[in-house]
Amino acid sequence: STGIVAATPFPAEYDREYVAPVSLGTPAQELNLIFDTGSSDLWVFSTSMPAAQVAGQKLYNPSGSSTSAVLWGHTWSIQYGDGSRSSGTVVNELVTIGGISYASQALEIANGVSAQFSQDPASSGLLGLGFSILNTVIPTSQKTWFDNVLPTLAAPVFTVDLKRAAPGTYTFGAIDASSYAGKIEYTPIDNSNGFWRLQASGYQVGTSPFQPTTIDAIADTGTTLLMLPAAIVKAYYAQVPGSQLHASYGAYTFPCSAKLPSFTFGIGRYRGVIPGAFVSYGRIDATTCYGGIQDQGNLPFSIFGDILMKAQVVVFDAGRTRIGFAAK
Ligand SMILES: O=C([C@@H]1CCCNC1)N1CCCCC1
């Protein structure tokens, strides 16, 4: 089987996150979820949530589904790198994405979420596309939806084609040859820590010479920005007049009138180019804009988030434990 769903950015003004529709239960309850290659829990806002933690999100109601079955004695609790959290209980449920169904998917229903989720009306939860070793369900860890449907897919892959300020696609079981230009360049991933973790071969700021250096990064569709080592970030903004590491935001900002240089990353000999305009994340006041490239801080690796992904077609190949990039 193959399946395709739209990946829609929110909010309209800047691409903070991308959500896609997931159908739950019988009759179908369709919720918009963030597809997150950096985690491995499938969890949803539910009717078990306190009203104070809900602000417009659609809620999954297990009692309204004839196919939901409580996974007795199982709970989950997750904390993301940005400090956001959610937790709850577990059911087995029919979960369908782009027409691809798995009848007894572990569906984690939230009975509590942190403010970052409560205050985001665009997302009713997350669908983890990381490796199942990261799943937080106890006492027995559960498989991701992708792991469960993998044997039924035409090819053991999913393809991510996010776009700037426009809907893109997540495709399961296929690579759409018409979606990209040139060849797909693959590189091995290390999934031992549950991430789609790769080594990039270097970077280039604008038209400056390419700098060969290994960049150890995870490909994370659930992270908005491109998080890189301090030295690379400094070299990038050195070419943006008026940019600064803003004291109060603890992040690089720049004058919205600035012309941003492109950012190029290497995958072997392949060069992936992020246009300068894609590096502007959004306006924070009349003249100041927020950089889409930021310091990874004390993380043990870089994060290739949406700012990078939206400039590429990215193939997550579980069959050959590799990841591929192509221009578009
Ligand atoms: O929590 C996260 C991210 C947060 C955004 C959504 N994807 C997962 N991690 C990835 C980076 C290392 C720490 C764990």
Side-chain angles (χ1 to χ4, degrees), residues 187-279:
T187 194
I189 57 117
D190 164 11
N191 60 8
S192 57
N193 293 93
F195 298 117
W196 291 86
R197 187 164 178 180
L198 66 125
Q199 294 195 321
S201 56
Y203 72 96
Q204 168 183 343
V205 179
T207 53
S208 307
F210 182 79
Q211 305 294 317
T213 178
T214 297
I215 302 172
D216 176 7
I218 65 166
D220 184 3
T221 54
T223 289
T224 310
L225 305 182
L226 173 51
M227 316 296 283
L228 293 170
I232 297 180
V233 179
K234 196 158 179 275
Y236 180 81
Y237 289 107
Q239 294 200 25
V240 182
S243 65
Q244 61 171 324
L245 179 45
H246 201 288
S248 52
Y249 293 105
Y252 281 88
T253 62
F254 61 91
C256 295
S257 56
K259 187 168 173 355
L260 292 170
S262 61
F263 184 85
T264 297
F265 64 99
I267 299 290
R269 297 163 55 83
Y270 169 77
R271 299 289 178 261
V273 182
I274 303 167
F278 282 31
V279 182

Side-chain angles (χ1 to χ4, degrees), residues 119-192:
Q119 291 163 5
D120 176 4
S123 161
S124 292
L126 264 69
L127 181 111
L129 291 170
F131 292 88
S132 295
I133 185 178
L134 284 175
N135 180 264
T136 73
V137 175
I138 53 169
T140 32
S141 157
Q142 302 296 307
K143 284 189 169 184
T144 66
W145 177 85
F146 178 64
D147 256 358
N148 283 324
V149 303
L150 201 47
T152 67
L153 295 181
V157 305
F158 62 90
T159 306
V160 178
D161 182 3
L162 302 181
K163 295 184 191 295
R164 181 169 66 119
T169 54
Y170 284 99
T171 304
F172 294 92
I175 301 167
D176 175 357
S178 69
S179 66
Y180 63 89
K183 269 174 41 47
I184 300 172
E185 183 73 27
Y186 288 95
T187 194
I189 57 117
D190 164 11
N191 60 8
S192 57

Side-chain angles (χ1 to χ4, degrees), residues 36 38-39 79-81 195 218 220 222-223 299 301 303:
D36 179 17
S39 67
Q79 171 144 350
Y80 298 100
F195 298 117
I218 65 166
D220 184 3
T223 289
L299 279 174
F301 39 64
I303 307 186

Side-chain angles (χ1 to χ4, degrees), residues 13 76 80 90 92 97-98 139 150 157 237 249 308 317 322:
E13 301 71 29
W76 61 281
Y80 298 100
V90 189
N92 278 325
I97 301 175
L150 201 47
V157 305
Y237 289 107
Y249 293 105
L308 178 145
D317 184 339
R322 64 180 186 170

